[in-house]
Coordinates of all heavy atoms in Angstrom, one line a residue:
M1 N 31.4 -212.5 67.8 CA 30.3 -211.9 67.0 C 30.3 -210.4 67.1 O 30.5 -209.8 68.2 CB 28.9 -212.4 67.6 CG 27.7 -211.9 66.8 SD 26.2 -212.8 67.2 CE 25.9 -212.2 68.8
T2 N 30.2 -209.7 66.0 CA 30.2 -208.2 66.0 C 28.8 -207.8 66.5 O 27.8 -208.5 66.4 CB 30.5 -207.6 64.6 OG1 29.6 -208.1 63.7 CG2 31.9 -208.0 64.2
S3 N 28.7 -206.6 67.0 CA 27.5 -206.1 67.6 C 26.3 -206.0 66.6 O 25.2 -206.2 67.0 CB 27.8 -204.8 68.3 OG 28.2 -203.9 67.3
N4 N 26.6 -205.8 65.3 CA 25.5 -205.7 64.4 C 25.2 -207.0 63.7 O 24.4 -207.0 62.8 CB 25.7 -204.5 63.5 CG 27.0 -204.6 62.7 OD1 27.7 -205.6 62.8 ND2 27.3 -203.6 61.9
E5 N 25.9 -208.1 64.1 CA 25.6 -209.4 63.4 C 24.4 -210.0 64.2 O 24.5 -210.2 65.4 CB 26.8 -210.3 63.4 CG 26.6 -211.5 62.6 CD 27.8 -212.5 62.7 OE1 28.7 -212.2 63.5 OE2 27.8 -213.4 62.0
K6 N 23.4 -210.4 63.4 CA 22.3 -211.1 64.1 C 22.5 -212.5 64.3 O 23.2 -213.2 63.4 CB 21.0 -210.9 63.2 CG 20.5 -209.5 63.1 CD 19.1 -209.5 62.6 CE 18.6 -208.1 62.4 NZ 18.5 -207.6 61.0
P7 N 22.1 -213.1 65.4 CA 22.3 -214.6 65.6 C 21.9 -215.5 64.5 O 22.7 -216.4 64.1 CB 21.4 -214.9 66.9 CG 21.3 -213.6 67.6 CD 21.3 -212.5 66.5
I8 N 20.8 -215.2 63.8 CA 20.4 -216.1 62.7 C 21.3 -216.0 61.5 O 21.3 -216.9 60.7 CB 18.9 -215.8 62.3 CG1 18.7 -214.4 61.8 CG2 17.9 -216.1 63.4 CD1 17.4 -214.2 61.1
E9 N 22.1 -215.0 61.4 CA 23.1 -214.9 60.3 C 24.2 -215.9 60.4 O 24.9 -216.2 59.5 CB 23.6 -213.5 60.2 CG 22.6 -212.5 59.7 CD 23.0 -211.1 59.8 OE1 24.1 -210.8 60.2 OE2 22.1 -210.2 59.4
K10 N 24.3 -216.5 61.6 CA 25.3 -217.6 61.8 C 24.8 -219.0 61.5 O 25.6 -219.9 61.5 CB 25.8 -217.6 63.3 CG 26.6 -216.3 63.6 CD 27.2 -216.4 65.0 CE 28.4 -217.4 65.0 NZ 29.2 -217.4 66.2
L11 N 23.6 -219.0 61.1 CA 22.9 -220.4 60.8 C 22.7 -220.5 59.3 O 22.4 -219.6 58.6 CB 21.6 -220.5 61.6 CG 21.8 -220.5 63.1 CD1 20.4 -220.4 63.8 CD2 22.4 -221.8 63.6
P12 N 22.7 -221.8 58.9 CA 22.3 -222.0 57.5 C 20.8 -221.6 57.3 O 20.0 -221.7 58.2 CB 22.4 -223.5 57.3 CG 23.1 -224.0 58.5 CD 23.0 -223.0 59.6
E13 N 20.5 -221.2 56.1 CA 19.2 -220.6 55.8 C 18.1 -221.6 56.1 O 17.1 -221.3 56.7 CB 19.1 -220.2 54.3 CG 17.9 -219.4 53.9 CD 16.7 -220.2 53.6 OE1 16.8 -221.3 53.1 OE2 15.6 -219.7 53.7
I14 N 18.4 -222.9 55.9 CA 17.3 -223.9 56.1 C 16.9 -224.0 57.6 O 15.8 -224.4 57.9 CB 17.8 -225.3 55.6 CG1 16.6 -226.2 55.4 CG2 18.9 -225.9 56.4 CD1 16.9 -227.5 54.7
L15 N 17.8 -223.5 58.5 CA 17.5 -223.6 59.9 C 16.9 -222.3 60.4 O 16.6 -222.1 61.6 CB 18.8 -223.9 60.7 CG 19.3 -225.3 60.5 CD1 20.6 -225.5 61.4 CD2 18.3 -226.4 60.8
T16 N 16.7 -221.3 59.5 CA 16.2 -220.0 59.9 C 14.7 -219.8 59.5 O 14.2 -218.7 59.5 CB 17.0 -218.9 59.4 OG1 17.0 -218.9 58.0 CG2 18.5 -219.0 59.9
R17 N 14.1 -220.9 59.1 CA 12.7 -220.8 58.7 C 11.8 -221.0 59.9 O 12.2 -221.6 60.9 CB 12.3 -221.8 57.7 CG 13.2 -221.6 56.4 CD 12.9 -222.8 55.4 NE 13.9 -222.6 54.3 CZ 14.2 -223.6 53.4 NH1 13.5 -224.7 53.5 NH2 15.0 -223.4 52.5
D18 N 10.6 -220.5 59.8 CA 9.6 -220.7 60.9 C 10.1 -220.3 62.3 O 9.9 -221.0 63.3 CB 9.1 -222.2 60.9 CG 8.5 -222.6 59.6 OD1 7.8 -221.8 59.0 OD2 8.7 -223.8 59.2
L19 N 10.7 -219.1 62.3 CA 11.3 -218.7 63.6 C 10.3 -218.5 64.7 O 10.6 -218.6 65.9 CB 12.1 -217.4 63.4 CG 13.3 -217.5 62.5 CD1 13.9 -216.1 62.2 CD2 14.4 -218.4 63.2
N20 N 9.0 -218.2 64.3 CA 8.0 -218.0 65.4 C 7.1 -219.2 65.6 O 6.1 -219.1 66.3 CB 7.2 -216.8 65.0 CG 8.0 -215.5 65.1 OD1 8.7 -215.3 66.0 ND2 7.9 -214.7 64.0
A21 N 7.5 -220.3 65.0 CA 6.8 -221.6 65.3 C 7.5 -222.3 66.5 O 8.6 -222.1 66.7 CB 6.8 -222.5 64.0
N22 N 6.7 -223.1 67.1 CA 7.2 -223.9 68.3 C 8.2 -224.9 67.8 O 7.9 -225.7 67.0 CB 6.1 -224.6 69.0 CG 5.2 -223.7 69.8 OD1 5.6 -222.6 70.2 ND2 4.0 -224.2 70.1
L23 N 9.4 -224.8 68.3 CA 10.4 -225.8 68.0 C 10.2 -226.9 69.1 O 10.3 -228.1 68.8 CB 11.8 -225.3 68.0 CG 12.9 -226.3 67.6 CD1 13.9 -225.6 66.7 CD2 13.6 -226.9 68.7
C24 N 10.0 -226.5 70.3 CA 9.7 -227.4 71.4 C 8.2 -227.3 71.5 O 7.6 -226.4 72.1 CB 10.4 -227.0 72.7 SG 10.0 -228.2 74.0
V25 N 7.5 -228.3 71.0 CA 6.0 -228.3 71.0 C 5.6 -228.6 72.4 O 4.6 -228.1 72.9 CB 5.5 -229.4 70.0 CG1 4.0 -229.5 70.1 CG2 6.0 -229.1 68.6
C26 N 6.3 -229.5 73.1 CA 5.8 -229.9 74.5 C 5.7 -228.7 75.4 O 4.8 -228.5 76.2 CB 6.8 -230.9 75.1 SG 6.9 -232.5 74.3
N27 N 6.7 -227.7 75.3 CA 6.7 -226.6 76.2 C 6.4 -225.3 75.5 O 6.6 -224.2 76.1 CB 8.0 -226.5 77.0 CG 8.1 -227.6 78.0 OD1 7.1 -228.1 78.5 ND2 9.3 -227.9 78.4
E28 N 6.0 -225.4 74.2 CA 5.7 -224.2 73.5 C 6.8 -223.1 73.5 O 6.6 -222.0 73.8 CB 4.3 -223.6 73.9 CG 3.2 -224.5 73.8 CD 1.8 -223.9 74.1 OE1 1.8 -222.8 74.6 OE2 0.8 -224.5 73.7
V29 N 8.0 -223.6 73.1 CA 9.1 -222.6 73.0 C 9.4 -222.4 71.5 O 9.6 -223.4 70.8 CB 10.4 -223.2 73.7 CG1 11.5 -222.2 73.7 CG2 10.1 -223.7 75.1
I30 N 9.3 -221.2 71.1 CA 9.5 -220.9 69.7 C 11.0 -220.9 69.3 O 11.9 -220.7 70.1 CB 8.8 -219.6 69.2 CG1 9.4 -218.4 70.0 CG2 7.3 -219.7 69.4 CD1 8.9 -217.0 69.5
K31 N 11.2 -221.2 68.0 CA 12.6 -221.4 67.6 C 13.5 -220.1 67.8 O 14.6 -220.3 68.3 CB 12.6 -221.7 66.1 CG 14.0 -222.1 65.6 CD 14.0 -222.2 64.0 CE 13.9 -223.6 63.6 NZ 14.1 -223.7 62.1
I32 N 13.0 -218.9 67.6 CA 13.8 -217.8 67.8 C 14.3 -217.6 69.2 O 15.4 -217.2 69.5 CB 13.2 -216.5 67.3 CG1 14.1 -215.3 67.2 CG2 11.9 -216.1 68.1 CD1 15.3 -215.5 66.2
D33 N 13.4 -218.0 70.2 CA 13.8 -218.0 71.6 C 15.0 -218.9 71.9 O 15.9 -218.6 72.7 CB 12.6 -218.3 72.5 CG 11.7 -217.1 72.6 OD1 12.0 -216.0 72.1 OD2 10.5 -217.3 73.1
I34 N 14.9 -220.1 71.2 CA 16.0 -221.0 71.4 C 17.3 -220.5 70.8 O 18.4 -220.6 71.4 CB 15.6 -222.4 70.8 CG1 14.5 -223.0 71.7 CG2 16.8 -223.4 70.8 CD1 13.8 -224.2 71.1
I35 N 17.2 -219.9 69.6 CA 18.4 -219.4 68.9 C 19.0 -218.2 69.8 O 20.2 -218.2 69.9 CB 18.0 -218.9 67.5 CG1 17.7 -220.1 66.6 CG2 19.2 -218.0 66.9 CD1 17.1 -219.7 65.2
N36 N 18.1 -217.4 70.3 CA 18.6 -216.3 71.2 C 19.3 -216.9 72.4 O 20.3 -216.3 72.9 CB 17.5 -215.4 71.6 CG 17.1 -214.5 70.4 OD1 17.9 -214.2 69.5 ND2 15.9 -214.0 70.4
A37 N 18.8 -218.0 73.0 CA 19.4 -218.5 74.2 C 20.8 -219.0 73.8 O 21.8 -218.8 74.5 CB 18.6 -219.7 74.7
I38 N 20.9 -219.7 72.6 CA 22.2 -220.2 72.1 C 23.2 -219.0 71.9 O 24.3 -219.0 72.3 CB 22.1 -221.0 70.9 CG1 21.2 -222.3 71.2 CG2 23.4 -221.3 70.2 CD1 20.8 -223.0 69.9
A39 N 22.6 -217.9 71.3 CA 23.5 -216.7 71.1 C 23.9 -216.1 72.4 O 24.9 -215.4 72.4 CB 22.7 -215.7 70.2
N40 N 23.1 -216.3 73.4 CA 23.5 -215.7 74.7 C 24.4 -216.6 75.5 O 24.7 -216.4 76.7 CB 22.2 -215.5 75.6 CG 21.5 -214.3 75.1 OD1 22.0 -213.3 74.6 ND2 20.1 -214.3 75.3
G41 N 24.9 -217.7 74.9 CA 26.0 -218.4 75.5 C 25.6 -219.9 75.8 O 26.5 -220.6 76.3
A42 N 24.4 -220.3 75.5 CA 24.1 -221.7 75.7 C 24.8 -222.6 74.7 O 24.5 -222.5 73.5 CB 22.5 -221.9 75.6
M43 N 25.7 -223.5 75.2 CA 26.5 -224.3 74.3 C 26.1 -225.8 74.5 O 26.8 -226.7 73.9 CB 27.9 -224.1 74.6 CG 28.4 -222.7 74.3 SD 30.2 -222.5 74.5 CE 30.8 -223.2 72.9
S44 N 25.0 -226.1 75.2 CA 24.6 -227.5 75.4 C 23.1 -227.5 75.5 O 22.5 -226.5 75.8 CB 25.2 -228.1 76.7 OG 24.7 -227.4 77.8
I45 N 22.6 -228.7 75.3 CA 21.1 -228.9 75.4 C 20.7 -228.6 76.8 O 19.6 -227.9 77.0 CB 20.8 -230.3 75.0 CG1 21.0 -230.5 73.4 CG2 19.3 -230.7 75.3 CD1 20.9 -231.9 73.0
E46 N 21.5 -228.9 77.8 CA 21.1 -228.7 79.2 C 21.0 -227.2 79.4 O 20.1 -226.7 80.1 CB 22.1 -229.3 80.1 CG 22.1 -230.8 80.2 CD 22.5 -231.5 78.9 OE1 23.4 -231.0 78.2 OE2 21.9 -232.5 78.6
E47 N 21.9 -226.4 78.8 CA 21.9 -225.0 79.0 C 20.7 -224.3 78.4 O 20.1 -223.4 78.9 CB 23.2 -224.4 78.5 CG 23.4 -222.9 78.8 CD 23.5 -222.6 80.3 OE1 23.8 -223.5 81.1 OE2 23.2 -221.4 80.6
V48 N 20.4 -224.8 77.2 CA 19.2 -224.3 76.5 C 17.9 -224.6 77.3 O 17.0 -223.8 77.5 CB 19.0 -224.9 75.1 CG1 17.7 -224.6 74.5 CG2 20.2 -224.4 74.2
R49 N 17.9 -225.8 77.9 CA 16.8 -226.2 78.7 C 16.7 -225.3 80.0 O 15.6 -224.9 80.3 CB 16.9 -227.7 79.2 CG 15.7 -228.1 80.1 CD 15.7 -229.6 80.3 NE 17.0 -230.1 80.9 CZ 17.6 -231.2 80.4 NH1 17.1 -231.9 79.5 NH2 18.7 -231.5 81.0
R50 N 17.8 -225.0 80.5 CA 17.8 -224.2 81.7 C 17.2 -222.8 81.4 O 16.5 -222.2 82.2 CB 19.2 -224.1 82.3 CG 19.3 -223.7 83.8 CD 20.7 -223.7 84.3 NE 21.6 -222.8 83.5 CZ 21.5 -221.4 83.7 NH1 20.7 -220.9 84.5 NH2 22.3 -220.7 83.0
Q51 N 17.6 -222.2 80.2 CA 17.2 -220.9 79.9 C 15.8 -220.8 79.3 O 15.1 -219.8 79.5 CB 18.1 -220.3 78.8 CG 19.5 -220.0 79.4 CD 20.3 -219.1 78.4 OE1 19.7 -218.3 77.7 NE2 21.6 -219.3 78.4
T52 N 15.3 -221.9 78.6 CA 14.0 -221.7 77.9 C 13.0 -222.8 78.2 O 11.9 -222.7 77.8 CB 14.3 -221.9 76.4 OG1 14.7 -223.2 76.1 CG2 15.3 -220.9 75.9
Y53 N 13.4 -223.9 78.9 CA 12.6 -225.1 79.2 C 12.4 -225.9 77.9 O 11.7 -226.9 78.0 CB 11.2 -224.7 79.8 CG 11.3 -224.1 81.1 CD1 11.2 -222.7 81.3 CD2 11.6 -224.9 82.2 CE1 11.4 -222.1 82.6 CE2 11.8 -224.3 83.5 CZ 11.7 -222.9 83.6 OH 11.8 -222.4 84.9
A54 N 13.0 -225.5 76.8 CA 12.9 -226.4 75.6 C 13.6 -227.7 76.0 O 14.6 -227.7 76.7 CB 13.6 -225.8 74.4
T55 N 13.1 -228.8 75.5 CA 13.6 -230.2 75.7 C 13.2 -230.7 77.0 O 13.5 -231.9 77.4 CB 15.1 -230.4 75.5 OG1 15.8 -230.0 76.7 CG2 15.7 -229.7 74.3
D56 N 12.4 -230.0 77.8 CA 12.1 -230.4 79.1 C 10.8 -231.2 79.2 O 10.3 -231.5 80.2 CB 11.9 -229.1 80.0 CG 12.1 -229.5 81.5 OD1 12.8 -230.5 81.8 OD2 11.6 -228.8 82.4
G57 N 10.2 -231.4 78.0 CA 9.0 -232.3 77.9 C 9.5 -233.8 77.9 O 10.2 -234.2 78.7
N58 N 9.1 -234.5 76.8 CA 9.6 -235.8 76.7 C 10.9 -235.9 75.9 O 11.4 -236.9 75.6 CB 8.6 -236.8 76.1 CG 8.2 -236.4 74.7 OD1 8.9 -235.6 74.0 ND2 7.1 -236.9 74.2
G59 N 11.5 -234.7 75.6 CA 12.8 -234.7 75.0 C 12.8 -234.8 73.5 O 13.9 -235.0 72.9
C60 N 11.6 -234.8 72.9 CA 11.6 -235.1 71.4 C 12.2 -234.1 70.6 O 12.5 -234.3 69.4 CB 10.1 -235.3 71.0 SG 8.9 -234.2 71.8
C61 N 12.5 -232.9 71.1 CA 13.1 -231.8 70.2 C 14.6 -231.8 70.5 O 15.3 -230.9 69.9 CB 12.5 -230.5 70.5 SG 12.7 -230.0 72.2
K62 N 15.2 -232.7 71.2 CA 16.6 -232.6 71.6 C 17.5 -232.6 70.3 O 18.5 -231.9 70.3 CB 17.0 -233.8 72.4 CG 16.8 -233.6 73.9 CD 17.4 -234.7 74.7 CE 17.1 -234.5 76.2 NZ 17.4 -235.8 76.9
H63 N 17.1 -233.4 69.3 CA 17.9 -233.5 68.1 C 18.0 -232.1 67.4 O 19.0 -231.6 67.0 CB 17.4 -234.5 67.2 CG 18.2 -234.6 65.9 ND1 19.4 -235.2 65.8 CD2 17.9 -234.0 64.7 CE1 19.8 -235.1 64.5 NE2 19.0 -234.3 63.8
D64 N 16.8 -231.5 67.3 CA 16.7 -230.2 66.6 C 17.5 -229.1 67.4 O 18.2 -228.3 66.8 CB 15.2 -229.7 66.5 CG 14.5 -230.6 65.5 OD1 15.2 -231.3 64.7 OD2 13.3 -230.7 65.6
V65 N 17.3 -229.1 68.7 CA 18.1 -228.1 69.5 C 19.6 -228.4 69.4 O 20.4 -227.4 69.2 CB 17.6 -228.2 71.0 CG1 18.5 -227.3 71.9 CG2 16.2 -227.8 71.2
G66 N 20.0 -229.6 69.4 CA 21.4 -230.0 69.3 C 22.0 -229.5 68.0 O 23.1 -229.0 67.9
R67 N 21.2 -229.7 66.9 CA 21.6 -229.2 65.6 C 21.8 -227.7 65.5 O 22.8 -227.2 65.0 CB 20.5 -229.7 64.6 CG 20.9 -229.4 63.2 CD 21.7 -230.5 62.6 NE 22.1 -230.2 61.3 CZ 23.4 -230.2 60.8 NH1 24.4 -230.6 61.6 NH2 23.7 -229.9 59.6
L68 N 20.9 -227.0 66.2 CA 21.1 -225.5 66.2 C 22.3 -225.1 67.0 O 23.1 -224.3 66.5 CB 19.9 -224.9 66.9 CG 18.6 -224.8 66.0 CD1 17.4 -224.3 66.9 CD2 18.8 -223.8 64.8
I69 N 22.6 -225.8 68.1 CA 23.8 -225.5 68.9 C 25.1 -225.8 68.0 O 26.0 -225.0 67.9 CB 23.8 -226.4 70.2 CG1 22.7 -225.9 71.1 CG2 25.2 -226.2 70.9 CD1 22.5 -226.9 72.3
E70 N 25.1 -227.0 67.4 CA 26.2 -227.4 66.6 C 26.5 -226.4 65.4 O 27.6 -225.9 65.2 CB 26.0 -228.7 65.9 CG 26.2 -229.9 66.9 CD 25.8 -231.2 66.2 OE1 25.4 -231.2 65.0 OE2 25.8 -232.2 66.9
C71 N 25.4 -226.0 64.8 CA 25.6 -225.1 63.6 C 26.0 -223.7 64.1 O 26.8 -223.0 63.5 CB 24.3 -225.0 62.8 SG 23.9 -226.4 61.9
Y72 N 25.4 -223.3 65.2 CA 25.7 -221.9 65.7 C 27.2 -221.8 66.2 O 27.9 -220.9 65.8 CB 24.8 -221.5 66.9 CG 25.0 -220.1 67.2 CD1 24.2 -219.1 66.6 CD2 25.9 -219.7 68.2 CE1 24.4 -217.8 66.9 CE2 26.1 -218.3 68.5 CZ 25.3 -217.4 67.8 OH 25.5 -216.1 68.1
W73 N 27.6 -222.8 66.9 CA 29.0 -222.8 67.5 C 30.0 -223.4 66.5 O 31.2 -223.5 66.9 CB 29.0 -223.4 68.8 CG 28.2 -222.6 69.8 CD1 27.0 -223.0 70.4 CD2 28.5 -221.3 70.4 NE1 26.6 -222.0 71.2 CE2 27.4 -221.0 71.2 CE3 29.5 -220.4 70.2 CZ2 27.4 -219.7 71.9 CZ3 29.5 -219.2 70.8 CH2 28.4 -218.9 71.7
G74 N 29.6 -223.8 65.3 CA 30.5 -224.3 64.3 C 31.1 -225.7 64.5 O 32.2 -226.0 64.0
K75 N 30.4 -226.5 65.3 CA 30.9 -227.9 65.5 C 30.1 -228.8 64.6 O 29.5 -229.8 65.1 CB 30.6 -228.3 67.0 CG 31.6 -227.5 67.9 CD 31.4 -228.0 69.4 CE 30.2 -227.3 70.0 NZ 29.9 -227.7 71.3
V76 N 30.0 -228.5 63.3 CA 29.3 -229.4 62.4 C 30.1 -230.5 61.9 O 31.3 -230.3 61.7 CB 28.7 -228.6 61.3 CG1 27.3 -229.1 61.0 CG2 28.6 -227.1 61.6
Ligands
LIG1 S1 9.1 -230.9 71.8 FE1 10.6 -230.2 73.2 S2 10.5 -231.7 74.7 FE2 9.0 -232.4 73.3

């Protein structure tokens, strides 16, 4: 990633909506914080959880977090 490329520019537009809404409702983690954790090197759901506590409730947002990781790192 070049220094002036924003993390959200690596994601499809449909995944860049509601950036300030909770993606992890259980732990009130907003989507942009999860995207930033991924951009900072989190390549797994466990790593995102370690950095943000997202998915640490009953795990109901795991699919959404996994989708962001896949799209960001190009494993779609
Ligand atoms: S919404 Fe994230 S663990 Fe439930």
Side-chain angles (χ1 to χ4, degrees):
M1 185 168 70
T2 57
S3 56
N4 56 6
E5 187 182 10
K6 293 193 181 108
I8 59 167
E9 289 169 2
K10 293 189 71 170
L11 294 169
E13 194 272 335
I14 197 167
L15 294 181
T16 63
R17 298 174 190 166
D18 300 323
L19 290 173
N20 293 311
N22 286 337
L23 187 139
C24 180
V25 179
C26 295
N27 286 339
E28 299 187 346
V29 186
I30 61 174
K31 188 190 257 186
I32 191 65
D33 285 348
I34 293 169
I35 292 173
N36 284 334
I38 295 168
N40 283 331
M43 296 184 81
S44 66
I45 291 170
E46 288 68 33
E47 186 63 22
V48 170
R49 177 169 58 224
R50 204 177 58 74
Q51 288 192 35
T52 68
Y53 295 102
T55 78
D56 205 24
N58 64 15
C60 40
C61 61
K62 271 186 186 170
H63 177 80
D64 291 340
V65 171
R67 185 84 184 128
L68 285 171
I69 293 169
E70 284 174 3
C71 287
Y72 189 87
W73 294 110
K75 290 182 278 178
V76 218

